[in-house]
Amino acid sequence: MQEKYIPLKRQRDIGDLITTYFDFLKTNFKPFLNIFISYNGIFILGFLGVSYLLVTGFVGTFAQTTTYGIANDISNYQMYLIAGAVGFFVLFIITAILNYSLAAVYLIQYENNKGIGVEKKKVWEMVKNNLGKIILFIILLIFMYLVVMIVGVVISFIPILGTFAYYLLILAYTSWMGLSFMSMIKDNKEVTEAFGEGWTLLKKYFWKSVLTNLVVGLLLGILMMVVLMVPGILIGVYAFHSLDTGVDLANSPIANVVWTLALTVVLILYTINQSLAQFVNGILYYSLHEETYNEATRENINNIGAGE
């Protein structure tokens, strides 16, 4: 049993949504992290391999091209970079599909079970049953994101207002995708139908959706910066000590291991952040859906009537 059950089907204002989000994380981060690690273990190893390729390629290319007056063959290191970049792109797509889904399904199972411990087997079964729709959704999400980015770049040239309009567009797009994804999984809608439902909710509660994502996004960004400060400081101390003692960081095996582990940590934290970002849109979806359709309110009224 969870320490505290937080009903998600409630109408909430922006402040309540943000408070609910962090209250939910306090009681559910650890059980969700267990599920996250269970299904991301192989991808964590993949990120370790990708980090090794990227670090080896970059450091090798840098070390060889800084040798003045000597023509060095850097094709091998460039292959490492290319392989690492391709590997990262593939892992990025796969983990985006998985972790976007895990966060949404975890919320759905949590609400359905009224806070009773969410079983990772049921989470995976729900993801697996919707895998085709999830893949199609992510593909369309990527194409639409490219369109949004092009439009955003164009409007960003407008003095002063363009920058604000750009970030507003990105926040609106993020909210739309999150709401649509929750609608698709929770209500078993088709992909296009889910986009329509998400768009309807976004239009009706535009500022609530955008401002909630803005505040939580900023707070998550600050949290990630604080978390990354610890390895960042340790790496900085190591680099300073190495340079002070005359260690050649470009050709040091130990340095390559340190850079590889550091990059791996960054990539893993980024994948966790994907899930944390979807949690806020899941909580937002339940609130906006209830505010629109009053399903939980009607259910409570019917229960009271039945009790009488």
Side-chain angles (χ1 to χ4, degrees):
M1 177 74 69
Q2 299 289 344
E3 295 178 10
K4 176 185 177 184
Y5 168 56
I6 303 172
L8 301 180
K9 293 181 180 179
R10 285 187 179 177
Q11 300 181 28
R12 293 181 167 95
D13 58 26
I14 296 174
D16 288 336
L17 284 166
I18 295 168
T19 301
T20 301
Y21 172 77
F22 286 103
D23 286 342
F24 180 84
L25 280 189
K26 280 192 294 187
T27 56
N28 287 273
F29 181 74
K30 185 177 179 180
F32 175 76
L33 187 61
N34 291 333
I35 295 175
F36 177 90
I37 294 174
S38 298
Y39 291 117
N40 281 272
I42 189 171
F43 301 117
I44 291 174
L45 294 176
F47 280 127
L48 183 62
V50 164
S51 299
Y52 170 78
L53 292 174
L54 290 172
V55 169
T56 302
F58 177 80
V59 173
T61 300
F62 176 80
Q64 294 299 319
T65 53
T66 54
T67 306
Y68 298 101
I70 301 175
N72 296 309
D73 182 13
I74 61 173
S75 58
N76 288 337
Y77 294 112
Q78 289 177 334
M79 288 300 297
Y80 277 116
L81 269 177
I82 294 171
V86 172
F88 170 75
F89 178 77
V90 172
L91 282 176
F92 172 80
I93 298 298
I94 295 174
T95 54
I97 293 172
L98 178 63
N99 296 312
Y100 213 66
S101 307
L102 287 180
V105 173
Y106 185 94
L107 273 171
I108 294 168
Q109 291 293 326
Y110 173 87
E111 178 61 24
N112 290 345
N113 297 340
K114 304 300 180 185
I116 298 175
V118 177
E119 298 180 20
K120 64 180 180 181
K121 184 178 179 181
K122 290 185 177 180
V123 170
W124 174 244
E125 285 178 356
M126 196 169 189
V127 172
K128 185 171 62 175
N129 292 337
N130 291 276
L131 190 58
K133 292 193 296 185
I134 292 171
I135 292 173
L136 178 59
F137 184 95
I138 296 297
I139 292 173
L140 293 176
L141 179 151
I142 292 171
F143 279 113
M144 286 190 285
Y145 180 74
L146 294 175
V147 174
V148 169
M149 286 299 296
I150 293 172
V151 174
V153 169
V154 172
I155 64 175
S156 65
F157 285 108
I158 302 174
I160 303 176
L161 293 179
T163 302
F164 291 103
Y166 170 78
Y167 286 110
L168 186 63
L169 179 64
I170 295 299
L171 287 168
Y173 173 77
T174 302
S175 303
W176 180 30
M177 291 300 102
L179 294 171
S180 299
F181 192 83
M182 283 295 299
S183 176
M184 182 183 73
I185 301 297
K186 178 184 174 295
D187 299 324
N188 197 29
K189 294 180 182 292
E190 294 301 320
V191 176
T192 53
E193 188 182 2
F195 279 129
E197 176 68 12
W199 182 254
T200 299
L201 293 176
L202 178 65
K203 284 195 303 180
K204 192 170 183 179
Y205 307 101
F206 180 81
W207 289 111
K208 181 183 287 189
S209 302
V210 167
L211 291 176
T212 302
N213 271 276
L214 172 63
V215 174
V216 173
L218 288 173
L219 293 175
L220 283 179
I222 294 171
L223 178 62
M224 285 297 164
M225 287 177 60
V226 172
V227 172
L228 288 172
M229 279 179 63
V230 177
I233 291 173
L234 293 175
I235 291 170
V237 171
Y238 166 77
F240 177 80
H241 176 73
S242 298
L243 292 173
D244 191 51
T245 55
V247 175
D248 184 3
L249 292 176
N251 296 301
S252 170
I254 297 177
N256 282 350
V257 171
V258 171
W259 309 144
T260 299
L261 292 176
L263 183 56
T264 303
V265 169
V266 171
L267 295 178
I268 292 172
L269 287 175
Y270 176 75
T271 59
I272 294 175
N273 191 56
Q274 287 178 321
S275 295
L276 298 183
Q278 178 56 14
F279 272 137
V280 67
N281 283 310
I283 294 171
L284 179 64
Y285 172 80
Y286 273 107
S287 176
L288 301 186
H289 192 273
E290 177 60 24
E291 194 167 347
T292 302
Y293 300 106
N294 295 304
E295 291 180 354
T297 303
R298 288 200 298 268
E299 183 180 347
N300 290 335
I301 292 173
N302 291 336
N303 290 337
I304 294 172
E308 295 176 352

